[in-house]
Amino acid sequence: MSRPITYSLLVIVMILWGLNVVAVKFLVEHVPPIAMQSMRIFIAGMAAIIVLYFLRDLRKLTKQEWAYITFAALLGQLGHHALLAVGIMETTASNASLILGLIPLTTVILTMIFFKERLTWLRSLGITLGFVGVTIVVVQGNGSVAGISRGDLFVFISMVLQALSFIVIKKVTATLSSKQMTAVILLLGSLFLFSASLLFEPQGYSQLQEGTAFVWSIIVISAVLATGLGHIFYNAAIQEIGAGQTAIFNNLVPFFSLIGAFFFLGEQILFTQVIGFILIVTGVILGTGYMDMKRKDRQGNKKLQETKKHHSA
């Protein structure tokens, strides 16, 4: 793929992911949350497996790969999606999307802890700004402990679990195609969510079957486009333009969620959310090392030009 096509696909994926938060908020108000997430993730996994079958990008996994994938599925599918669905029932889609916007920064922090990556002053500033932004969003004096709702807390924990799963996934993708890894994690995660639903929602699947045609259409569209194909395109973009540039596009997700929540759910866009959004986006750009990378590129190009001038002289 050419870079313009890759960038266009990434913007489409960010729109889908932003609206997906809105879709999940809508769905949990009509069907049991964990059962819904189980079905949605299962459909996404099947869609991804079918695509990869025709792309001939499937192979048998080793025992070590299965171990990593199982752990990643427990964190990123069972933990993340279950807590997100339960949490978003008690908060707004806008707040949830802004909290989830911290995933890149949290992943960076965990990478520094587990892989001893260097912490520059720009990254430190970015991490601080990002978490200050989320603090402004969730602390709104709503009468709960410390002004933070239980829903916001659950979404925050789900965000941390997703970031932890990315650390595990980094180990898997050293030997396994990121596309196959995504598909297998989705399918395995849906089984974990299915088990959790049977435990916590005994009537969950019978209630899910009673969902309207519109509810089921949202589940399928969310699963196939946003979760299944969205992750395949995103992983393809990482291979095309690199993880650093791809991660910057994640800043568009909260923006499209805020807009979607306003138009489709009737949620107000609060001044605190706008301030939080600006701080989070700034924090992600600085904290993920994007600005450090650009500065090194400029310094390298400057040295190269000076060397060429020296030789030409």
Side-chain angles (χ1 to χ4, degrees), residues 38-48 187 190 216 219-220 223-224 228:
S38 163
M39 184 59 65
R40 196 177 66 81
I41 300 303
F42 175 74
I43 295 171
M46 288 302 299
L187 285 176
S190 71
W216 274 98
I219 290 175
V220 173
V224 174

Side-chain angles (χ1 to χ4, degrees), residues 5 17 24 26 30 45 65-66 73 108 110 112 136 146 157 169 188 196 229 241 252 262 268 287-288 298 312:
I5 293 175
W17 285 359
V24 171
F26 167 80
H30 293 80
E65 287 168 344
W66 272 117
V108 167
L110 294 171
M112 290 173 181
I136 290 173
I157 297 171
I169 285 170
L188 191 57
L229 297 181
I241 63 175
L252 295 174
F262 176 78
Q268 285 185 309
T288 54
R298 285 195 298 268
S312 61

Side-chain angles (χ1 to χ4, degrees), residues 14-23 92-95 97-98 251-270 273-274 277:
M14 296 308 114
I15 294 172
L16 289 172
W17 285 359
L19 295 179
N20 194 48
V21 178
V22 178
T92 63
S94 303
N95 268 24
S97 67
L98 290 169
N251 292 309
L252 295 174
V253 175
F255 172 76
F256 289 119
S257 290
L258 287 171
I259 301 301
F262 176 78
F263 283 106
F264 297 113
L265 300 177
E267 293 183 4
Q268 285 185 309
I269 299 178
L270 305 176
Q273 291 174 330
V274 175
F277 172 74

Side-chain angles (χ1 to χ4, degrees), residues 226-248:
T227 305
L229 297 181
H231 280 89
I232 288 177
F233 287 137
Y234 186 80
N235 289 330
I238 289 176
Q239 293 179 342
E240 181 73 24
I241 63 175
Q245 288 192 51
T246 307
I248 296 303

Side-chain angles (χ1 to χ4, degrees), residues 179-218:
K179 301 183 188 70
Q180 181 176 353
M181 175 272 303
T182 299
V184 176
I185 283 180
L186 288 171
L187 285 176
L188 191 57
S190 71
L191 295 178
F192 291 147
L193 286 164
F194 173 77
S195 301
S197 178
L198 293 179
L199 180 62
F200 296 106
E201 302 168 343
Q203 305 301 318
Y205 282 93
S206 61
Q207 293 174 22
L208 185 61
Q209 291 172 11
E210 296 171 1
T212 64
F214 182 70
V215 166
W216 274 98
S217 66
I218 297 297

Side-chain angles (χ1 to χ4, degrees), residues 98 130 133-134 136-137 271-281:
L98 290 169
V134 163
I136 290 173
V137 169
F271 178 71
T272 52
Q273 291 174 330
V274 175
I275 296 300
F277 172 74
I278 293 170
L279 289 173
I280 291 167
V281 169

